[in-house]
Amino acid sequence: MEKKMISLTIDGVHVEVPEGTTILEAARKAHVHIPTLCFLKDVNEIGACRICVVDAGARALQAACVLEVAPGMVVRTNTPEVREARKTIIELILSNHDKKCLSCVRSQNCELQKISLDLGIENGDEFAGTMRIYSVDDLSVSLVRDNNKCINCRRCVATCNKNQGVGVIGAVNRGFNTSIESAWDQSLAQTACIGCGQCIVNCPVGALYEKDELQDVWTMIDDPDLHVVVQPAPSVRAALGECFGLPMGTNVTGKMVAAMRRLGFDKIFDTDFAADLTIMEEATELLDRIQSRGTLPMITSCSPGWVRFCETYYQDFIPNLSSCKSPHQMLGAITKSYYAEKASIPAEKIRVVSVMPCTAKKLETRSPGMDSTGYPDVDAVITTRELGKMIKSSGIDFVNLPDEEFDPILGLSTGAGTIFGATGGVMEAALRTAYETVLNKELEKLDFHVVRGIQGIKEATIALGDVELNVAVVNGTANAAKLLDAIRKGEKTYHFIEIMACPGGCVNGGGQPIVSAQDRLNLDPRIERAKALYKADDEMIYRKSHENPMIKKLYDEYLEKPNSHRAHHLLHRHYVKRPKYQNQN
Amino acid sequence: MATKDQEKYLELEKIIEEHKGLPGALMPAMQKTQELFGCVPLKAQQMLADGLNATLSEVYGIATFYSQFNLEPKGEYVISVCLGTACYVKGAQDILDRICEEIETMPGKTSADGRFTVEATRCIGACGLAPVMTINEEVHGRIMPDDVPSILAKYKK
């Protein structure tokens, strides 16, 4: 049914919007910008911070983010009263904020800083008084929480609860003493946090950020005895440009490689190559599980946030997890074995740095078994944002760099590896290979549109000859919980499920450049960045993992065949049950 | 023989069972827990969260928001020092500080021997006695910091 249209005026401009629209959204039609802080579309719409107040003709000012339009409403957003109220609100927030913008990771990309500048706040000390001083929680290997910058907007809390179904942070205490904490004032490291970092990308300020590993990386690069290999995940190339002001969805693969070379890395390999390798292993594992009546559904294991979620909250599904390591771990293991042999470099002299759209990868790489060669598969994991910082601090003119190519021999990839970064991408890549492996004939239409897109749960039935494959694709661990609950109840049965912890998949991972809540109303990073990957896939020479010539060579020369003994040793892993609460008393 | 503590946790399991599936079950279940233990301890919060489909953060948030919930059991004697306006201007903060010093604890906390819990309260309506405090049901008015040791001594026996 068509929604009823409501007409109203905002700052004298007549607009017509569907019933149920908020003043905040309606104002955009009138080209009026209303500032927001606690507002996060569909996730945190609680009207708490009050910075979006407008005069809608009522006795008091009202919050535009939660106030719905009404017929004939006259809204004014630029009265002296509104301006004064907004300034007071910002001054009050700043009165308990550390204001150390100079050294803040979010400087120039901070929603509070932007509003303060826009409103002409001077020193932010109009209500100077008692400040709460918090110790910074930096015990987690993925993320850091600094409550001295927190504005209690609760966007992280809503994200952790609603999108991720984890809920390890919440509002604690009352009034001026309110703060966002884990229960019993524990460090995040002591909770069942999955490390996904969605709280970071949804924080309006610098209260949440990744655990920085840049100093470790610089030390490796600066050591002449070490051979330092870097590998970027598929999604990094679809978002890194945003750190340098390029439009969302710009594919910067060539510039990224050029920048990495200038940073001093000895070899630039591609996690996309390892994504192809993952597909070879995972598709084989799937077909084997189907043929040998093994545990089904098989669930992908590329997303360490999801793996941690499974190990903690859905332990009965651990046998369903694919035993494949995630692509960057595979590449690390192959670099320190096959590549080390080929290049005659002792493995102990090699360091592998992964650039990931992800903060949970920092957790993953420290998990047991991630050292199949006797050395850590991966020595440091940095996020897309950290790579951006490295490039900036090195004075590299990123935007004007020429396009350069990945290094042989582990830099060649296919379109199938590239789309790993988007929700549905791993499924699609696996289907391309499974289809041709099972039927031994060429797949005519490579695009499986049914598994693309940002819906939380997608389902499809794919015919592989006389086998009907029931598949599901899930993004956001709260959606994973829904699907797994349905499977537990016997309402659903599948053969193969792809689960990515972050909404939209890795393109919108917790390590990606941060897009403000307001900018997200214009452009959805989940869609725009995925477009860049699907476009790249479309333009690739090879679009199926098993056609990657370097993958064929790797199996011929070294691994023999997928799921071989050596492949198992290097490329597969085990899982552990993790307690939900650490301190049972 | 189950210990007293084990019995309480068995009782808590019953409370959780009774509240399962009911709308808004968490708060009443927490109140029952508070009555049972004299506080809502960590393990009880974990059981409440798991049993009533909430997160531990949610339970802890509620427990720290409302003053009728405690995280630790209260002491044998609850000392409430009024910090209402009248008492405050008459030096109630000094009284509170002195008490904390004497029994080596902090406002909102319980002394190591479990005897005293110290709380700062809002106006108790006895401004004529300012500065005033209550120890359980007994009222002590117009006190000076130096009166604190002798008052506390009465309860130490």
Side-chain angles (χ1 to χ4, degrees), chain A residues 187-209:
Chain A
S187 158
L188 263 188
Q190 295 168 286
T191 68
C193 168
I194 61 170
C196 68
Q198 280 298 308
C199 53
I200 298 177
V201 290
N202 287 311
C203 178
V205 296
L208 284 151
Y209 48 94

Tab-separated table of all heavy atoms in Angstrom, chain A residues 187-209:
chain	number	residue	atom	x	y	z
A	187	SER	N	37.437	-5.381	31.741
A	187	SER	CA	37.979	-4.974	30.455
A	187	SER	C	37.245	-5.750	29.371
A	187	SER	O	36.778	-6.862	29.594
A	187	SER	CB	39.464	-5.315	30.402
A	187	SER	OG	39.882	-5.397	29.064
A	188	LEU	N	37.169	-5.164	28.180
A	188	LEU	CA	36.577	-5.880	27.044
A	188	LEU	C	37.260	-7.231	26.851
A	188	LEU	O	36.640	-8.207	26.435
A	188	LEU	CB	36.753	-5.066	25.766
A	188	LEU	CG	35.603	-4.189	25.300
A	188	LEU	CD1	35.935	-3.642	23.930
A	188	LEU	CD2	34.287	-4.957	25.264
A	189	ALA	N	38.561	-7.265	27.161
A	189	ALA	CA	39.330	-8.500	26.979
A	189	ALA	C	38.803	-9.633	27.852
A	189	ALA	O	39.000	-10.802	27.546
A	189	ALA	CB	40.803	-8.250	27.297
A	190	GLN	N	38.130	-9.283	28.948
A	190	GLN	CA	37.614	-10.318	29.853
A	190	GLN	C	36.195	-10.722	29.492
A	190	GLN	O	35.624	-11.612	30.107
A	190	GLN	CB	37.630	-9.795	31.291
A	190	GLN	CG	39.022	-9.533	31.830
A	190	GLN	CD	38.940	-8.758	33.119
A	190	GLN	OE1	38.652	-7.571	33.135
A	190	GLN	NE2	39.173	-9.441	34.234
A	191	THR	N	35.595	-10.033	28.535
A	191	THR	CA	34.215	-10.340	28.171
A	191	THR	C	34.198	-11.248	26.946
A	191	THR	O	35.238	-11.578	26.389
A	191	THR	CB	33.447	-9.060	27.804
A	191	THR	OG1	33.982	-8.554	26.575
A	191	THR	CG2	33.571	-8.002	28.886
A	192	ALA	N	32.992	-11.601	26.520
A	192	ALA	CA	32.849	-12.424	25.317
A	192	ALA	C	32.709	-11.542	24.083
A	192	ALA	O	31.947	-11.845	23.163
A	192	ALA	CB	31.662	-13.352	25.468
A	193	CYS	N	33.458	-10.441	24.059
A	193	CYS	CA	33.510	-9.563	22.881
A	193	CYS	C	34.080	-10.372	21.717
A	193	CYS	O	35.041	-11.110	21.886
A	193	CYS	CB	34.420	-8.369	23.183
A	193	CYS	SG	34.879	-7.373	21.751
A	194	ILE	N	33.489	-10.217	20.522
A	194	ILE	CA	33.970	-10.989	19.373
A	194	ILE	C	34.983	-10.206	18.547
A	194	ILE	O	35.470	-10.682	17.536
A	194	ILE	CB	32.810	-11.481	18.476
A	194	ILE	CG1	32.013	-10.305	17.897
A	194	ILE	CG2	31.899	-12.426	19.263
A	194	ILE	CD1	31.017	-10.714	16.812
A	195	GLY	N	35.264	-8.972	18.966
A	195	GLY	CA	36.319	-8.187	18.326
A	195	GLY	C	35.958	-7.619	16.972
A	195	GLY	O	36.835	-7.142	16.249
A	196	CYS	N	34.676	-7.641	16.601
A	196	CYS	CA	34.283	-7.259	15.236
A	196	CYS	C	34.549	-5.790	14.937
A	196	CYS	O	34.697	-5.409	13.781
A	196	CYS	CB	32.817	-7.585	14.983
A	196	CYS	SG	31.659	-6.567	15.933
A	197	GLY	N	34.555	-4.955	15.972
A	197	GLY	CA	34.854	-3.543	15.746
A	197	GLY	C	33.700	-2.732	15.171
A	197	GLY	O	33.873	-1.583	14.785
A	198	GLN	N	32.495	-3.310	15.133
A	198	GLN	CA	31.357	-2.531	14.640
A	198	GLN	C	31.081	-1.341	15.552
A	198	GLN	O	30.573	-0.315	15.104
A	198	GLN	CB	30.109	-3.417	14.507
A	198	GLN	CG	30.099	-4.253	13.239
A	198	GLN	CD	30.089	-3.396	11.988
A	198	GLN	OE1	29.270	-2.498	11.823
A	198	GLN	NE2	31.034	-3.649	11.088
A	199	CYS	N	31.431	-1.467	16.830
A	199	CYS	CA	31.276	-0.336	17.753
A	199	CYS	C	32.169	0.822	17.303
A	199	CYS	O	31.800	1.987	17.424
A	199	CYS	CB	31.611	-0.755	19.175
A	199	CYS	SG	33.220	-1.553	19.355
A	200	ILE	N	33.344	0.483	16.763
A	200	ILE	CA	34.283	1.529	16.339
A	200	ILE	C	33.702	2.317	15.172
A	200	ILE	O	33.665	3.544	15.199
A	200	ILE	CB	35.633	0.913	15.902
A	200	ILE	CG1	36.305	0.176	17.060
A	200	ILE	CG2	36.551	1.996	15.325
A	200	ILE	CD1	37.611	-0.518	16.676
A	201	VAL	N	33.247	1.592	14.152
A	201	VAL	CA	32.789	2.301	12.951
A	201	VAL	C	31.459	3.012	13.180
A	201	VAL	O	31.026	3.799	12.352
A	201	VAL	CB	32.719	1.396	11.696
A	201	VAL	CG1	34.106	1.034	11.230
A	201	VAL	CG2	31.892	0.151	11.928
A	202	ASN	N	30.822	2.735	14.303
A	202	ASN	CA	29.580	3.439	14.590
A	202	ASN	C	29.726	4.474	15.698
A	202	ASN	O	28.750	5.091	16.098
A	202	ASN	CB	28.484	2.423	14.940
A	202	ASN	CG	28.026	1.681	13.701
A	202	ASN	OD1	27.742	2.302	12.680
A	202	ASN	ND2	27.992	0.366	13.757
A	203	CYS	N	30.937	4.666	16.201
A	203	CYS	CA	31.176	5.662	17.247
A	203	CYS	C	31.317	7.029	16.589
A	203	CYS	O	32.044	7.172	15.617
A	203	CYS	CB	32.452	5.304	18.016
A	203	CYS	SG	32.884	6.496	19.298
A	204	PRO	N	30.610	8.052	17.104
A	204	PRO	CA	30.715	9.372	16.479
A	204	PRO	C	32.016	10.092	16.827
A	204	PRO	O	32.401	11.051	16.178
A	204	PRO	CB	29.516	10.130	17.053
A	204	PRO	CG	29.253	9.473	18.366
A	204	PRO	CD	29.635	8.029	18.202
A	205	VAL	N	32.679	9.627	17.892
A	205	VAL	CA	33.880	10.307	18.384
A	205	VAL	C	35.040	9.319	18.486
A	205	VAL	O	34.978	8.234	17.928
A	205	VAL	CB	33.604	10.983	19.756
A	205	VAL	CG1	32.566	12.093	19.614
A	205	VAL	CG2	33.143	9.957	20.785
A	206	GLY	N	36.063	9.683	19.215
A	206	GLY	CA	37.255	8.830	19.296
A	206	GLY	C	37.294	7.928	20.514
A	206	GLY	O	38.362	7.579	20.984
A	207	ALA	N	36.117	7.537	21.012
A	207	ALA	CA	36.093	6.731	22.235
A	207	ALA	C	36.406	5.267	21.977
A	207	ALA	O	36.661	4.511	22.904
A	207	ALA	CB	34.732	6.866	22.920
A	208	LEU	N	36.362	4.849	20.724
A	208	LEU	CA	36.623	3.460	20.369
A	208	LEU	C	37.532	3.437	19.155
A	208	LEU	O	37.267	4.132	18.168
A	208	LEU	CB	35.314	2.744	20.038
A	208	LEU	CG	34.439	2.363	21.230
A	208	LEU	CD1	32.985	2.331	20.833
A	208	LEU	CD2	34.862	1.008	21.774
A	209	TYR	N	38.580	2.680	19.227
A	209	TYR	CA	39.454	2.542	18.068
A	209	TYR	C	40.217	1.231	18.138
A	209	TYR	O	40.217	0.549	19.169
A	209	TYR	CB	40.410	3.733	17.925
A	209	TYR	CG	41.131	4.144	19.183
A	209	TYR	CD1	42.393	3.656	19.468
A	209	TYR	CD2	40.546	5.024	20.086
A	209	TYR	CE1	43.067	4.041	20.616
A	209	TYR	CE2	41.206	5.407	21.253
A	209	TYR	CZ	42.458	4.916	21.516
A	209	TYR	OH	43.121	5.276	22.648
